[in-house]
Amino acid sequence: MQNMINAVKGTARGVAEYLTPVLTESKFKETGVITPEEFVVAGDHIVHHCPTWQWATGEDIKIRPYLPPDKQFLITRNVPCYKRVKQMDTHQQEQEKVIEEEDDDGGWVDTHHFAPDSNVVNTAELVAEMTLDSKTSQTKAALDEDDDDDDEDDGEAEDMEAFEQGGMLEEEDDATLKPEAVVSESDGAAGGGDSGIIQTRTYDLNITYDKYYQTPRLWLFGYDENRKPLTVDELYDDFSQDHAKKTVTMEAHPHLPGPPLASVHPCKHADVMKKIIQTVAEGGGELGVHMYLMIFLKFVQAVIPTIEYDYTRHFTM
Amino acid sequence: MEKLQYAPFSCGLDAGFWQKLSEKKLNEYALDETPKVIRGFYFNGDLANLSPRIVLDYTGFDRQFKIPPRCFLSIGTLYLKNTLDNFKECDKKLIIDQVAEQIWQDIKDLKAVEDPSLLSRFVLLSFADLKKYHYYYWFAFPALIYDVFLLSKPTSLKDSLSTEQIENLVKNYDQFQAQFTSFHGYFVISSLEDDLAVIELQHTDTLLAAGKKVTFVFCDPCTLENHPGWPLRNFLVLIAKKWGNKMESVNVLCFRDRSRDGVRDISHSLLLNIKLEKLDDQVCPKCVGWEKNERQKLGPRMVNLSSTMDPTRLCESAV
């Protein structure tokens, strides 16, 4: 239901965006919204500290006049996502910190706020564990995929095995690293460390400036273990269950061609940002507007807890 | 001695690419099957254990293609076939051999010394079933076969250089890249007055004439601890062809440049000491590079985008 409401809102918003004047005066501390200029300042800050994030232009015809042509939105590519949210059942009540309470939709919760720092180490261990049974998970992925082909009701797909070439095409080349070779190498040699290439889901993430909500907006494009685009249902595996379908909508990207992309709906962003700024102010600290995107990326992590994008700086709230 | 093995590239295609390809096919190429130039890029800062990949997005068709910041150019040839049969039956060996011949030519007449990005090429063979939104594709990353051996185990940069030297190298690397409109994927470093200078490949002869020791560097998309990525393959053929008669072994730095949590790190870059084998420089070496599919067989892949691109299905799922 919420999904549909968001879809309708999305269309109406397109019209409303024309009518919304561009925000020029800074209202960031009072309301949590930012001007395009402030978005650029915050974007420059994140590009400087996390070079995996870069500015992009997008399609020329879609350039927004209130942003510099070469700084229309931010992009980071090939971000790994090793686990589905439901696999990551480390959720513990005592680690939660409610960021926003008085909200009928349930508000925002930072699920790992009080988690000890050793979490980082745990993740590394988990990843190492994953390598050992990567063979089984790969086969499973392959099986799943065959299922997908059968599901399609719009014309049969060709049998891809019929396209495979015999030994005629090219010689066996032993300078090409075989994926299995690396895994066994590290199993054998003690302290070998080379744990091989992990076939995992990856994401491309974008942050655009949403003129209507006057906040940043996060977009996601996911690839499966074989680097094929994820379907919408597969994408939902990587959103926290509290937010999937409610906060996440499929819409046309404002700067890129192509099919609709998943995006974290920005209708609550300003409120959450305002709350965080207030929390920091109460603690005697002050957040400069240049920190805006780092905080933004920290709080959207509650929506996509397993996508390992970089947002740097362990700042305290 | 251990034979040097390289982690192959894989392809990364976003949905915007297929959308653009469909538009091009309908509005521009029509039934024209002649090969087209497209462009992709790779990155040397991925997190550990991700597979190295060449990325193609919707900008790959642009004449004024702009390489994204901190990424490296790869030049591609698109073979877009009109029918599934043409896709299936075209001569794949001929296709990859033509690119190999091109790379070899650029190495022989030393064009690749001036513009080393000519070494990094790919082929995309494709058939687009525009009615069903089914896209068939097969990538090749052509590499000339030239087998070499490691004289010692690969070491990481942090085991060979001090922290100050590494910081210094990062600074000089940034200055070097800042001179160009886009990042260069191949260069050399040499110690000049206690400093590790980063220098364009074309000045290597000058350095050697001055009696300097040169380390060849390529920006490495691979993240494995003991293996370099694919771009080194054709680079080593160039090194052997151009400088093989002057040196018996070379030092190669696989430059990896990662940022995480606000900290820049190149210390996991790999240093290789490679014995240069004699290269028969009269004939074009044999070539490999067709990408394996999900089943690890030589074969194409297919992606079905009807759920995201077909207007009728989009309508259904919108309500």
Side-chain angles (χ1 to χ4, degrees):
Chain A
M1 187 60 188
Q2 187 66 32
N3 201 7
M4 196 178 98
I5 294 174
N6 280 340
V8 175
K9 269 193 205 160
T11 322
R13 197 182 53 95
V15 181
E17 197 185 90
Y18 280 112
L19 308 173
T20 314
V22 177
L23 190 63
T24 49
E25 209 176 308
S26 177
K27 294 195 219 156
F28 140 76
K29 277 181 193 147
E30 296 76 33
T31 56
V33 301
I34 52 169
T35 65
E37 289 77 18
E38 287 170 331
F39 177 71
V40 172
V41 170
D44 283 343
H45 188 72
I46 208 152
V47 167
H48 182 259
H49 287 283
C50 312
T52 45
W53 287 97
Q54 288 293 336
W55 284 111
T57 301
E59 275 196 307
D60 285 348
I61 46 162
K62 290 178 180 161
I63 286 183
R64 309 288 152 134
Y66 45 85
L67 288 166
D70 56 340
K71 293 182 179 179
Q72 295 278 308
F73 66 102
L74 291 153
I75 181 164
T76 184
R77 285 192 184 86
N78 214 9
V79 181
C81 179
Y82 300 112
K83 289 182 289 181
R84 311 289 72 81
V85 168
K86 56 175 176 271
Q87 283 173 270
M88 206 189 79
D89 211 355
T90 56
H91 184 93
Q92 285 158 338
Q93 283 286 329
E94 64 267 29
Q95 291 182 355
E96 280 186 2
K97 179 183 165 112
V98 177
I99 299 178
E100 188 187 13
E101 289 166 315
E102 61 274 48
D103 169 27
D104 4 296
D105 267 352
W108 288 92
V109 176
D110 182 349
T111 45
H112 291 76
H113 187 81
F114 299 112
D117 278 341
S118 61
N119 263 9
V120 184
V121 185
N122 289 344
T123 321
E125 281 168 9
L126 285 167
V127 170
E129 280 169 29
M130 284 176 61
T131 329
L132 298 176
D133 43 47
S134 68
K135 270 176 208 143
T136 42
S137 62
Q138 244 171 291
T139 354
K140 197 172 160 285
L143 286 173
D144 288 350
E145 201 172 43
D146 288 344
D147 287 348
D148 285 353
D149 290 347
D150 300 337
D151 288 344
E152 303 305 337
D153 47 6
D154 55 343
E156 71 297 354
E158 295 290 326
D159 174 17
M160 294 310 286
E161 278 182 54
F163 290 88
E164 283 167 7
Q165 310 281 320
M168 306 297 283
L169 182 57
E170 56 183 48
E171 294 172 34
E172 198 55 36
D173 169 49
D174 57 1
T176 305
L177 190 65
K178 312 271 182 303
E180 323 84 66
V182 192
V183 177
S184 57
E185 210 172 88
S186 63
D187 283 353
D194 221 350
S195 44
I197 287 169
I198 298 174
Q199 302 295 338
T200 182
R201 281 192 180 185
T202 56
Y203 276 87
D204 294 343
L205 306 181
N206 293 182
I207 305 172
T208 60
Y209 179 75
D210 193 287
K211 190 184 162 219
Y212 179 74
Y213 288 101
Q214 300 165 337
T215 60
R217 177 174 192 162
L218 187 78
W219 299 81
L220 304 99
F221 185 75
Y223 303 86
D224 71 7
E225 291 79 358
N226 293 308
R227 295 174 314 284
K228 287 183 181 172
L230 294 176
T231 65
V232 180
D233 288 334
E234 288 167 335
L235 275 175
Y236 282 134
D237 295 343
D238 293 321
F239 295 114
S240 102
Q241 294 311 299
D242 300 340
H243 299 98
K245 306 215 171 184
K246 196 154 71 179
T247 333
V248 179
T249 54
M250 302 297 291
E251 282 178 59
H253 191 290
H255 301 285
L256 296 179
L261 293 184
S263 138
V264 181
H265 203 266
C267 56
K268 296 286 186 321
H269 290 358
D271 286 344
V272 179
M273 289 306 289
K274 198 176 91 184
K275 290 262 157 49
I276 294 174
I277 296 158
Q278 276 169 3
T279 316
V280 174
E282 279 160 21
E286 195 177 353
L287 284 177
V289 78
H290 62 283
M291 294 290 288
Y292 194 101
L293 284 174
M294 288 192 183
I295 306 161
F296 172 76
L297 283 174
K298 188 166 170 62
F299 93 70
V300 291
Q301 223 198 1
V303 187
I304 44 170
T306 55
I307 302 182
E308 309 210 347
Y309 60 84
D310 191 16
Y311 60 89
T312 191
R313 290 288 144 115
H314 306 276
F315 63 89
T316 45
M317 282 203 300
Chain B
M1 277 189 296
E2 197 186 331
K3 187 166 178 174
L4 187 58
Q5 286 189 314
Y6 312 81
F9 265 128
S10 51
C11 58
L13 290 158
D14 72 9
F17 176 83
W18 292 119
Q19 172 110 0
K20 206 74 179 178
L21 180 126
S22 312
E23 279 171 29
K24 286 271 179 188
K25 172 82 184 150
L26 285 171
N27 304 329
E28 197 181 316
Y29 305 155
L31 291 177
D32 177 14
E33 276 194 354
T34 54
K36 312 285 185 300
V37 176
I38 53 172
R39 289 173 182 84
F41 52 90
Y42 57 95
F43 181 54
N44 63 342
D46 281 333
L47 291 182
N49 308 100
L50 290 181
S51 88
R53 60 176 196 175
I54 283 187
V55 177
L56 265 81
D57 65 11
Y58 70 98
T59 62
F61 300 93
D62 293 359
R63 236 172 275 277
Q64 290 108 12
F65 173 75
K66 256 180 74 189
I67 308 162
R70 311 188 94 84
C71 293
F72 309 94
L73 173 69
S74 186
I75 310 155
T77 314
L78 169 69
Y79 289 83
L80 185 56
K81 296 295 177 185
N82 288 328
T83 62
L84 201 54
D85 283 342
N86 288 4
F87 174 80
K88 208 168 175 174
E89 271 142 36
C90 68
D91 187 344
K92 279 103 187 166
K93 187 156 171 27
L94 182 73
I95 288 177
I96 198 170
D97 283 350
Q98 281 173 345
V99 181
E101 184 60 47
Q102 176 75 59
I103 295 170
W104 178 242
Q105 203 56 45
D106 291 335
I107 289 174
K108 262 198 340 199
D109 56 25
L110 304 180
K111 259 165 85 182
V113 176
E114 276 168 54
D115 181 6
S117 69
L118 296 171
L119 298 170
S120 178
R121 292 177 180 272
F122 67 90
V123 171
L124 170 56
L125 172 65
S126 183
F127 165 68
D129 188 336
L130 297 179
K131 282 184 189 138
K132 291 184 194 158
Y133 303 91
H134 289 181
Y135 297 91
Y136 299 79
Y137 61 103
W138 196 357
F139 270 86
F141 309 101
L144 303 176
I145 295 182
Y146 168 59
D147 289 339
V148 290
F149 293 88
L150 289 172
L151 289 167
S152 54
K153 271 190 102 53
T155 51
S156 75
L157 200 58
K158 59 176 173 282
D159 296 331
S160 311
L161 297 183
S162 69
T163 321
E164 283 117 62
Q165 282 174 312
I166 291 178
E167 277 170 21
N168 192 261
L169 178 60
V170 170
K171 197 188 79 204
N172 291 341
Y173 172 76
D174 286 343
Q175 278 172 5
F176 169 79
Q177 298 288 18
Q179 317 163 57
F180 314 111
T181 47
S182 63
F183 273 40
H184 281 207
Y186 305 84
F187 50 93
V188 292
I189 53 176
S190 181
S191 36
L192 294 175
E193 297 153 13
D194 308 328
D195 201 12
L196 278 175
V198 178
I199 300 155
E200 275 180 87
L201 188 63
Q202 49 183 306
H203 301 311
T204 309
D205 280 336
T206 324
L207 291 166
L208 291 173
K212 299 286 176 197
K213 241 190 120 202
V214 165
T215 300
F216 291 93
V217 191
F218 78 103
C219 294
D220 187 6
C222 179
T223 56
L224 297 174
E225 268 176 51
N226 290 313
H227 298 278
W230 212 244
L232 177 58
R233 295 195 73 155
N234 292 333
F235 190 35
L236 273 181
V237 179
L238 173 69
I239 294 169
K241 171 82 180 94
K242 174 77 172 76
W243 294 285
N245 55 356
K246 292 194 185 118
M247 29 183 130
E248 286 174 352
S249 71
V250 282
N251 288 319
V252 171
L253 173 62
C254 316
F255 194 83
R256 301 166 180 184
D257 184 4
R258 186 184 295 160
S259 292
R260 193 71 185 169
D261 297 331
V263 180
R264 174 104 175 260
D265 185 20
I266 64 159
S267 64
H268 57 299
S269 298
L270 273 193
L271 271 169
L272 308 175
N273 188 8
I274 297 166
K275 182 171 187 295
L276 280 185
E277 299 292 327
K278 184 144 175 43
L279 179 77
D280 175 7
D281 58 6
Q282 298 312 306
V283 289
C284 176
K286 285 191 174 132
C287 165
V288 289
W290 284 103
E291 188 183 14
K292 293 191 168 153
N293 64 12
E294 298 90 337
R295 290 174 288 274
Q296 292 302 316
K297 298 266 173 57
L298 284 172
R301 297 167 185 243
M302 192 276 276
V303 59
N304 178 353
L305 293 179
S306 61
S307 64
T308 49
M309 285 174 73
D310 186 345
T312 40
R313 292 199 42 183
L314 277 179
C315 267
E316 283 164 23
S317 61
V319 191

